[in-house]
Amino acid sequence: MDGPLKNLLVVDLTRVLVGPYCTMILSDLGARVIKIEAPEIGDDSRGFGPFIDDYSAYFMSLNRGKESIALNLKNEDDKKIFEKILAKADILVENFKPGTLEKWGFGWNEVSKKYPKLIYASASGFGQTGPLKELPAYDMVVQGMGGLMSVTGHPNSEPTRVGTSIGDITAGLFTAIGINAALYDRQKTGKGAFIDVSMLDCQIAILENAIARYLSKNEIPEPMGSRHPSIAPFEAFKTKDSFLIIAAGNDKLFKSLCEVLEIPNIATDEMYKTNSLRSQNIDKLKFIIEDKLQHKNTDEWIKVMENLKIPCGPIFNIKQAVENPQIKERNMIVKSFHKKIGEFKSAGNPIKMSTYKDEKIRGDIPDLDEHRDKILKEFS
């Protein structure tokens, strides 16, 4: 892939989601990624469904455009091969439990002495410091411990996981951000850096309104369904046939909404004329809005509201979301190829840059150890 990170070499010691997601971003931005996998087993996610002809679609969706070589870093011969690759690398990304690579002789302190320009990024459940640093963690563990599940779902409902692995994904994103910042810093200093990203830290970092409410008002937020905690009307409303998201985020938009719903007097009512008042009286306001919305289908309301630029939208299932013409226009479903199953579609790169083409076809998906001969010849 062409991109701003072209000619940079990434050594990818990651598996499952947080690390592979990060290195996929780097690959999409042009970096060359050599994925180091455990012999015979490979990345754990090669065994995760769904499957296409015994090949994991989960794995393929995260590892396009990478090269694969199987190495046992406890084996002396394989260590020597790894050292030769590492000597030419710009970036090392790993998501082992803290202390694992130190045991094998590849911790930051050892590696940075040999390769002072190397950027070394570690993504783990709880980070390299603190009383929990040695504990394993999966996505839902940090969603729970990070407070996210406490504000997800409906009032009085059972704990609800966010519908995607946001604990892993946010950590992958923050790791990629840290790596790119370190690359810029290296241009100025000539030195590499160690990047320590904790999945739990990342959950705290994205709590936005919830953490602001607690730290400023000592309030402990609770689940509110689709409702926004401090903006109204800003949630999903029932229509004649389904649900409609309305996000009238200021007084001007609320006035336009009231005009569309043919309730202009509500916009100046003492109970609803400001956002603060609307938030205080949201249950009554919701009843008024839904009473009007029940007369038309969601699609009919969207056409009217979009004409007045009122932020709104339907609630799509995954099929509808993926097949949305807007998504197609933005090249958010791209193709990769696997030598056995052929064409494979996955989510594209949301970073669009004026200086590089957003390709519709991405790099091939590697089988375990597929590039061994090529890599050994190059790094001999």
Side-chain angles (χ1 to χ4, degrees), residues 43-242:
D43 187 324
D44 292 347
S45 68
R46 287 186 182 273
F48 296 174
F51 295 96
I52 303 174
D53 296 337
D54 296 327
Y55 291 94
S56 168
Y58 186 103
F59 173 86
M60 291 190 287
S61 70
L62 295 164
N63 290 283
R64 61 176 181 240
K66 303 177 186 179
E67 300 168 40
S68 173
I69 182 171
L71 296 175
N72 179 356
L73 296 188
K74 299 177 185 178
N75 176 282
E76 290 302 318
D77 289 337
D78 280 3
K79 281 186 175 183
K80 291 176 183 177
I81 296 170
F82 180 69
E83 286 270 13
K84 289 177 180 178
I85 299 171
L86 199 58
K88 296 183 179 181
D90 297 280
I91 302 158
L92 168 67
V93 187
E94 62 95 6
N95 64 337
F96 287 97
K97 187 175 75 173
T100 300
L101 287 181
E102 281 80 358
K103 293 177 184 177
W104 299 341
F106 295 109
W108 164 246
N109 290 332
E110 297 89 349
V111 168
S112 62
K113 292 173 185 176
K114 294 181 181 179
Y115 315 114
K117 292 186 177 182
L118 182 71
I119 293 165
Y120 189 124
S122 294
S124 60
F126 301 106
Q128 306 294 313
T129 59
L132 304 181
K133 66 179 183 180
E134 295 185 1
L135 294 179
Y138 278 91
D139 172 81
M140 196 160 70
V141 174
V142 298
Q143 281 196 36
M145 294 181 68
L148 188 63
M149 286 177 66
S150 77
V151 293
T152 302
H154 291 269
N156 303 313
S157 66
E158 291 186 0
T160 304
R161 170 187 178 271
V162 174
T164 186
S165 298
I166 199 167
D168 283 298
I169 291 169
T170 52
L173 289 169
F174 279 116
T175 304
I177 291 169
I179 289 168
N180 279 281
L183 286 169
Y184 177 70
D185 190 62
R186 189 174 71 176
Q187 288 185 319
K188 298 184 293 180
T189 66
K191 298 179 180 179
F194 180 69
I195 298 164
D196 171 15
V197 173
S198 152
M199 290 169 63
L200 182 61
D201 291 354
C202 294
Q203 294 302 279
I204 299 297
I206 64 168
L207 287 178
E208 48 105 21
N209 188 284
I211 203 167
R213 292 174 77 87
Y214 174 69
L215 294 178
S216 63
K217 298 291 186 179
N218 206 33
E219 296 177 8
I220 301 177
E222 297 180 352
M224 302 180 70
S226 66
R227 183 173 294 174
H228 193 283
S230 58
I231 305 174
F234 205 103
E235 61 182 294
F237 296 89
K238 289 182 181 179
T239 66
K240 184 178 180 180
D241 68 334
S242 58

Side-chain angles (χ1 to χ4, degrees), residues 24-55:
M24 182 178 68
I25 294 170
L26 302 179
S27 175
D28 278 350
L29 293 174
R32 179 188 180 188
V33 178
I34 296 180
K35 186 176 180 70
I36 312 296
E37 300 190 68
E40 299 182 9
I41 302 170
D43 187 324
D44 292 347
S45 68
R46 287 186 182 273
F48 296 174
F51 295 96
I52 303 174
D53 296 337
D54 296 327
Y55 291 94

